[in-house]
Amino acid sequence: MENLPIYVYLVFGLTVLVTVFLFYKATNYSKTFLIIIAGWMIVQTAISLSGFYKITNTVPPRVGLLLMPPLVMTIILFSTKKGRIFIDGLNLKTLTLFHIIRIPVELTLLWLFMHKLVPGLMTFEGRNFDILSGISAPVIYYFVFVKKTAGKSVLLMWNFICLGLLFNIVVNAILSVPGAFQQFAFEQPNFGILLFPFVFLPSLLVPMVLFSHLTAIRRILLGKDI
C-alpha cells in the first residue's frame, strides 16, 4: 500500500465524494440519507483501519460485512411501503448521470492491478467491461432527458445491460477475494478492496450503483414518470 501513488488515493477519494454528492442530490438533499451514509462510512473506516478485513481465512469470510448490510438495506427499501415511497421520490435524471462514477472506478482498478492489489480480470483489460456503463451514461442522459429523442424503452434496456455488466464484475471480484471461496486469480488475488479507502468500493459505490439501476427499472416497468 505504501507504494501506491498519491493520485490513486486522490482520484478514488474524489470519486467517493462525487458518488455521495450525486446520490444525495438524487434524494432531493435528504439529510437522513446523508446521516446514514456518513455513519456507514465511519463504521467501515474504523473496521478496515483495524485490519479486520485483512484476515481472509475465516468462515464466513469477513468481506461479507462489506457486502451484506447494504444488500439487506436495499431489500428492505424495495419491500416496504416507506422504502418504496423513498425510491419513487428519487430523481431519475440524476441517477442516470450518476453512473459516470464508473469511469474513475475502472481507472482505480487498473492502477490497483498495476500495483498487484487486484487481478487483471477485474480491469477493462480483463473481464470487466463496466467502464462502458460510465462512458454511455452521459449519452443516455442527453438523448433521454435533454433532447428527448430516446424514450423509456431505451433507458430500460440500458439499465438492464449495465446491470448485467455490474453483476459480471461483482461475481468475478467476489470469487477473486483470498479465502475459502476463492475461485479465480490465485496468483494475484483481489486484496485491494479489503484495504482502506478501497473498502468503499464494495461497501458503498457498488451498492449505490446497484440501487440506482433497480430504482430506474422499477420506475419504468411500473409506468411512472421519468
Side-chain angles (χ1 to χ4, degrees):
M1 283 292 290
E2 64 273 8
N3 295 324
L4 278 179
I6 188 65
Y7 64 79
V8 179
Y9 295 104
L10 288 175
V11 170
F12 186 74
L14 286 173
T15 301
V16 171
L17 291 176
V18 171
T19 298
V20 173
F21 172 75
L22 286 176
F23 207 95
Y24 175 53
K25 182 180 179 182
T27 66
N28 299 307
Y29 304 102
S30 167
K31 291 182 180 179
T32 301
F33 162 78
L34 209 55
I35 292 171
I36 292 174
I37 286 299
W40 177 240
M41 292 178 69
I42 290 171
V43 168
Q44 285 300 333
T45 296
I47 293 174
S48 60
L49 289 178
S50 73
F52 178 83
Y53 294 120
K54 292 181 181 180
I55 301 174
T56 59
N57 59 352
T58 61
V59 178
R62 295 186 175 187
V63 70
L65 191 56
L66 291 168
L67 305 169
M68 293 309 296
L71 182 58
V72 170
M73 178 60 72
T74 297
I75 293 172
I76 291 173
L77 287 173
F78 274 88
S79 60
T80 61
K81 183 177 179 180
K82 288 186 177 180
R84 291 190 293 269
I85 290 174
F86 168 75
I87 290 169
D88 292 339
L90 295 174
N91 187 309
L92 206 52
K93 293 181 181 180
T94 304
L95 286 185
T96 301
L97 198 58
F98 167 83
H99 294 284
I100 60 173
I101 66 157
R102 291 154 89 161
I103 299 175
V105 164
E106 295 309 313
L107 292 176
T108 299
L109 287 174
L110 179 63
W111 294 328
L112 290 178
F113 161 67
M114 292 169 63
H115 289 84
K116 303 186 184 305
L117 288 172
V118 302
L121 62 83
M122 285 181 59
T123 72
F124 50 76
E125 293 184 343
R127 304 178 189 175
N128 185 1
F129 307 104
D130 199 58
I131 195 169
L132 298 176
S133 303
I135 294 171
S136 60
V139 177
I140 292 296
Y141 174 86
Y142 178 74
F143 285 108
V144 173
F145 297 106
V146 180
K147 291 290 288 184
K148 300 185 185 300
T149 54
K152 291 183 179 181
S153 59
V154 172
L155 185 61
L156 180 64
M157 184 182 300
W158 178 77
N159 272 283
F160 270 120
I161 292 173
C162 293
L163 186 60
L165 293 176
L166 178 67
F167 280 140
N168 170 64
I169 180 54
V170 167
V171 170
N172 278 282
I174 291 175
L175 295 180
S176 298
V177 173
F181 299 102
Q182 184 178 3
Q183 298 295 319
F184 305 133
F186 291 95
E187 73 289 347
Q188 187 170 316
N190 178 16
F191 193 70
I193 66 163
L194 306 179
L195 306 172
F196 180 83
F198 306 107
V199 289
F200 291 135
L201 179 56
S203 67
L204 188 73
L205 274 60
V206 168
M208 285 187 174
V209 168
L210 172 64
F211 191 86
S212 298
H213 281 314
L214 295 179
T215 294
I217 291 169
R218 165 187 157 81
R219 296 267 290 273
I220 297 170
L221 289 179
L222 290 180
K224 296 182 180 293
D225 292 337
I226 63 173

